[in-house]
Amino acid sequence: MRTGIRAPVSTAVAIAVGFLVLISLLIPGLEDLRNQILNWAILLAAIALLLGLANLFQVHFNKVRDREKPVYSSILLVAMLVTFGLTLWQGSQGDVPKWIFNNLQLPIETGLMAVLAVSLTIAAARFFQSRSDLMGFVFIGALFIALLAAAPVFGLELPIFTQVVGPIINSLSISAARGLLIGVGLGTLATGLRILLGADRPYGG
Amino acid sequence: MSISPEVLVALALFFILLFSVWGRNNPRRVFRSIKAFKELQRNIELSVEDGSRLQIGLGSGGLLGPQSAAAFAGLTLLRQVADIASDSDQPPIATTGDGALMLLAQDTLRSTYRRLGIREQFNSKLGRVTGLTPFSHAAGALPLILDRSVLGSALIGSYGNEVGLIAGASQRANGFTTGGSDRLSTQAILFAAADEPLIGEEIYATGAYTNAGAAHQASLRSQDLLRWILIALLIITALAPLFEGSQIVQ
Amino acid sequence: MPSDLLSQAGIVAAALLTLITLSYAFGDHPVFRIVLYLFIGIAAGYAGAIAIEDVILPQLVFPVLDAWNGVFQIAPADLIVRVVLSALLLLKLSPRAANLGNPVTALLAGVGAALAIGGAVQGTILPQVGAAVTTFNAAQFDLAMQGGHYGESIQVVVEGTILLLATVSTLAYFHFGATARGSQPPLRPIVVDGLAWVGSIFIVITLATLFAGVLLAALSALIERLSFLVGVANMLMGQ
Amino acid sequence: MSYQSSQDPEDRLPDWLKALRKRQSEEPKEEAKPAQPSQPPAAEGEDTEPTWLREIRERHRREQPTDEELLAEERALTDTQPTAPIKPLEKRRIETPFEPIELEKPVEKIPEPVSKIPDWLTLDEHGESSAAEETADEFTQPEKRTPAFADMEAEALSPGELPSWLQAIRPSETFPEEDNRSEEMLPSSEETAGPLAGLVGVLPAEPEIVQFGKPPVFSARLDVTESQARHAAAFSRLVAAEGRPREDLGRQVALPTRVLNWIISAAVFLAVLFPLIVQSQGTPRPEVDAVQFAASTNIFNAIDVLPPNAPVLIAFEVQPALYGELSAPAAAVLSHLLDKQARLVFISTQPTGPALADRLLQEHLSAAPSVATGDYVNLGYLSGGMAALRSFTSDPRTATLSAAAAVQNPWQSTSLLAVGQLRDFAMVFVITSEAEDGRAWIEQAGSSLPQGLYIVGSTQSAPLLKPYLLSDPPTLRGLVDGFGGATFYERLRNTDGLGRTYWDAFSYGLGAIVLLILLGGLYSRLIHLRPEKPAAQTEGKSA
């Protein structure tokens, strides 16, 4: 059995669908077609998410089978299957899924975010180790101003930062952020066009 | 003065096609140096030499929005790294937090392996989701880094704050991290916490800086040209109210 | 009461998980790993179930079941396309038939690329360029000129120029094209290089401001978590 | 379009649905919701259906748009579209990609080996032939190679030795064939699809620096072919060994660094814990006339004049990770809204948004009568990202909401009876942790809201959202961000809330962080100052 679909088919699909959606975004009259394609894409993305779930399951099932840190992987598998089954059964607003979300998932996730406070402090404290040039000084200097402008420090108000220097730094960074965003937009535009031109074929074409 | 969306898209398209033909063989026309790419190349070499693994992170932004472009840049890098390192003891591993991106990563690896004639060595574990939400995706990548299963991580995709966890773990384990994102706050985290950050639009230049093909280089040149067109437009738009104002005054 | 018991168990579980997660700040350890894997599993299971509940059932399964019974919620052609695309995508599960699903991932890539282009142009580039009109405070400038306060009008121009320079030089910083110089690093035109240098300072300032924002957000998360732990400790000691 | 599920016979359901039904009937879920008048009569087929399935179905049925609604949606979706036609250039250009690209010739499937010989062995020849036929490859031309790859070529680096029995059964005649392939058969950098088809060669990207070397194609192919067996032998080992820690002692983190990290962690934790434990409230709150909080004052003023029972839409775009931070400013603003007897309507484009919104209300605002009695509307999760958001902001009533909203028809509730368009809401709030989500709402909804939009944001989103406060006309009318915003807002209202509780810890934590960064910087500069380093890094990462 030959299972490969020839690349031109995939490339043609990507280009045709991509241009259709793009044209429908730029000129009016094709909204129905676009919505149709977007509905398919939303459905396919959801199915892809399930394939992701299957991949996660497979990777960790294999680890359990191969006795490669099986405790961790079996915890993951049990947690995944129980949450999946219960949420499907009761609905995402059901009591048990809500309990799991509020008392298990949320504390860990906010906890990980809280750990970031330490990780980022360490990163900033070690910043000069890797970068002791002018830009390093500018970064740390601006970081100090931005931090000191945020709130009183050890209970002491520092109006020079909150009312004078802080707003200046903020205003400059808003303008520079605009430049950064336009640049990101240009990069996005070019990257998207490469897919539509068939020059980039990440779908295996 | 303004520019309409369709004109901007048409211009970009035209410039890419133009630069694909014009001036592409001029050896003096090159790109500025970006340290992150040099370091990335060094780490790829290192990973091939000592048989260690590289992680290419694609983020968890998904495909249905503007954030998809960042992941496409990551997929280009994946293809290029796989081309070089698939032959090594430990081929690169692609991690993501989105199902559709996982499929594209697997497709990319599968086609690369097929092209290299080693399709039997492809394994779907090489393109995987480590978690299905942004933070759980990062959490899933932590053991890879903390256990030093990967030598380094190239994070090119749409990441949020969770990138700080990955970069932090990398610092703890003395691993190498480079990367960028379409989100500015993520770029800020990487600027401080990654070994070599890619800032602004530099992630979209990944293909051109890794010799991914003529189109990548042409699109980078068209980006440059559009940049100056927009700069001109920006200056005119910003100054116009003053001149209009002074005309009114006169 | 069982619900009370459940909620108290929830608080204790949440406190324990918080404590273990926070302990990662001091170093990695096996208990933290267990919590990490628990988290990945729960988040994945929850996300998968929501995908089924909110998208796959109403968009695919129910329409198919109804069509089976001769009732068409959506046009038959549309339904057929959905079923075929979904089936092809599911072939990705099989190592041997995975290639058959390539056109479907290609479709997703095409849609993604188009949305990226649309979003970049309509959502970022044009609005941001459009926002440049506010760089110079034209109203204040006009008023100053009309009132003969030329000093104030110059101030408006200077402020605006600095802000415009921040945007323009930042954009210029990223200019990639350069000229090769043998074994020397490639060089950009001097004007571009100069502008880029100015831009790099603005960029670094911006990144510092944004980094401060993330750091403060993380600090806030830490405070909320520790406050929760203190609350639970007080509750336990009070009992 | 008619829709009847009454003919859903049980026996036609797939097994897994049957199983679910069975379990459901054994454990009947509490019937909490009354049937909606707009629903078609319950059908016998549905009686045996699980509650959750039926709820989703019912919601879905209700959401079948009428023809009129469809027309409305069509109109709505055209409103922001530009009118100029697209250039025909793209259309002409997209024709070229359909040039025939032969990626893979049909290959007869090699029968599965009956012995224990692995698959790849039998595929060796097969892989060879298909490789020779691949003409659509994207290999670039042979490029300058890095030393690493030169090493790779050497046999010495071969990762797995080929067992002799493998050597014996290996079809060796394939190699000369591979060698004899003509240059044309080999892949080049030529673009094989798309409008760039036929273009060969790439621009050198800074030759001496950026040479992402791939091995020369010819030898690489030969290498690869030979290495198939070696790698295959090594492969099972390497994939399986992924979880094994690398024995690389040279890369162990130095003890002083670990101690330093430990000290930093302890300092931050203690600085935050101390004020929380002693419940200190000594840090001054921002003054009510503080200029930097002018955007928060705007929100206060707008809510203060809100008439009772005004419908207020709240987009709850909060990632779970930042729920902790956002709970303070969100609780401050929502409690003001609840005091003004606003009718709150929640929606979210995040799957976890509705659950978090419920949690916030129950955790911090349960004292409000409307929260205690459940007199608020949660429209649930709006799936489909930007496209769905555009549809919702154009015409909220036709948007597809999640199953969670299926519990009751939200549009029949008193809060929403008077709401047909987005502009019918007295105020629209976005509570967001990410600037991108806030931006999406501003861009999609800002133009259709004459009264503008209000945002309660995270500290990290504020720098990127502030420009919208200055735009002309202002699309964003007010912003409360982070603990600072929460504390200020509580001061304005003359109340104590989460902001007050956290404010001292925030101030002390911030102080500790500033101090640690300063000390860390000094430590790096003074103690670890290596004279040769700055010279080597003058270009820096940023340059």
Side-chain angles (χ1 to χ4, degrees), chain D residues 249-486:
Chain D
L249 296 174
R251 293 179 64 81
Q252 287 292 343
V253 185
L255 185 67
T257 310
R258 272 187 289 166
V259 171
L260 203 66
N261 291 354
W262 203 91
I263 292 171
I264 290 177
S265 306
V268 174
F269 272 73
L270 288 176
V272 170
L273 264 177
F274 174 71
L276 286 175
I277 290 172
V278 303
Q279 298 181 346
S280 81
Q281 295 195 344
T283 302
R285 294 197 280 187
E287 296 295 329
V288 285
D289 55 353
V291 187
Q292 69 267 36
F293 290 107
S296 306
T297 315
N298 289 350
I299 291 190
F300 176 84
N301 292 338
I303 295 179
D304 224 33
V305 295
L306 208 61
N309 296 321
V312 174
L313 181 71
I314 292 157
F316 208 83
E317 310 291 357
V318 179
Q319 302 277 358
L322 284 167
Y323 170 80
E325 186 203 6
L326 275 161
S327 57
V333 173
L334 289 184
S335 84
H336 194 192
L337 280 170
L338 288 168
D339 282 356
K340 289 285 165 188
Q341 295 166 24
R343 293 184 175 276
L344 304 187
V345 180
F346 291 88
I347 192 163
S348 179
T349 61
Q350 309 287 330
T352 50
L356 286 174
D358 271 341
R359 181 185 163 118
L360 180 81
L361 292 176
Q362 301 304 333
E363 194 177 5
H364 299 299
L365 300 159
S366 54
S370 61
V371 176
T373 56
D375 189 18
Y376 61 92
V377 178
N378 200 336
L379 291 175
Y381 162 51
L382 186 66
S383 65
M386 194 74 101
L389 183 57
R390 175 180 279 202
S391 155
F392 179 82
T393 52
S394 313
D395 190 357
R397 283 183 176 254
T398 58
T400 307
L401 300 171
S402 71
V407 173
Q408 54 186 8
N409 187 351
W411 298 105
Q412 300 289 322
S413 66
T414 37
S415 304
L416 286 169
L417 272 177
V419 175
Q421 297 288 320
L422 201 63
R423 62 176 66 221
D424 294 335
F425 285 105
M427 291 178 88
V428 177
F429 277 89
V430 184
I431 300 182
T432 179
S433 51
E434 308 286 332
E436 284 72 18
D437 296 326
R439 252 192 3 229
W441 271 92
I442 292 172
E443 277 156 16
Q444 299 300 329
S447 56
S448 56
L449 288 172
Q451 72 274 35
L453 202 78
Y454 299 88
I455 287 188
V456 176
S458 153
T459 327
Q460 65 172 12
S461 65
L464 294 168
L465 292 173
K466 280 179 180 163
Y468 293 97
L469 289 167
L470 308 171
S471 65
D472 186 29
T475 41
L476 179 61
R477 297 294 176 102
L479 175 70
V480 177
D481 66 293
F483 285 178

Side-chain angles (χ1 to χ4, degrees), chain A residues 14 18 26 61 63 65 68 71-72 74 112 130 132 134 160 169 177 198:
Chain A
L26 296 177
F61 182 79
K63 283 190 176 181
R65 195 192 53 199
E68 188 191 325
V71 176
Y72 296 148
S74 34
L112 287 173
S130 59
S132 50
L134 174 68
I160 180 85
I169 287 280

Side-chain angles (χ1 to χ4, degrees), chain A residues 34-193:
Chain A
R34 181 185 66 209
N35 288 340
Q36 185 77 79
I37 295 174
L38 285 180
N39 280 339
W40 295 339
I42 290 168
L43 172 65
L44 292 173
I47 292 174
L49 190 143
L50 288 192
L51 293 180
L53 201 68
N55 175 277
L56 197 62
F57 182 89
Q58 187 198 1
V59 166
H60 289 277
F61 182 79
N62 288 348
K63 283 190 176 181
V64 174
R65 195 192 53 199
D66 300 342
R67 301 199 174 282
E68 188 191 325
K69 297 190 178 167
V71 176
Y72 296 148
S73 290
S74 34
I75 285 170
L76 186 148
L77 290 177
V78 170
M80 184 164 106
L81 292 175
V82 168
T83 313
F84 183 71
L86 287 173
T87 311
L88 214 51
W89 172 44
Q90 288 204 338
S92 54
Q93 294 296 303
D95 287 342
V96 179
K98 260 187 167 175
W99 187 92
I100 293 177
F101 177 76
N102 280 324
N103 297 307
L104 305 182
Q105 183 176 342
L106 197 61
I108 304 175
E109 190 155 347
T110 47
L112 287 173
M113 183 71 199
V115 169
L116 264 192
V118 173
S119 302
L120 296 182
T121 305
I122 292 173
R126 287 175 54 178
F127 191 74
F128 272 132
Q129 278 184 13
S130 59
R131 228 169 317 180
S132 50
D133 54 359
L134 174 68
M135 293 308 160
F137 278 104
V138 174
F139 180 81
I140 293 293
L143 178 60
F144 269 116
I145 293 171
L147 288 176
L148 294 174
V153 179
F154 290 122
L156 293 174
E157 267 192 299
L158 301 167
I160 180 85
F161 288 106
T162 50
Q163 285 164 28
V164 185
V165 199
I168 292 175
I169 287 280
N170 266 333
S171 153
L172 284 180
S173 59
I174 285 170
S175 296
R178 187 171 290 153
L180 280 166
L181 284 173
I182 294 173
V184 167
L186 282 177
T188 304
L189 172 62
T191 305
L193 283 176

Side-chain angles (χ1 to χ4, degrees), chain D residues 76 105 130 198 200 228 290 327 432 444 452 470 493 504 530:
Chain D
K105 280 261 167 102
S130 66
V200 191
Q228 279 183 356
S327 57
T432 179
Q444 299 300 329
L470 308 171
R493 294 199 63 215
D504 276 47
R530 280 167 288 186

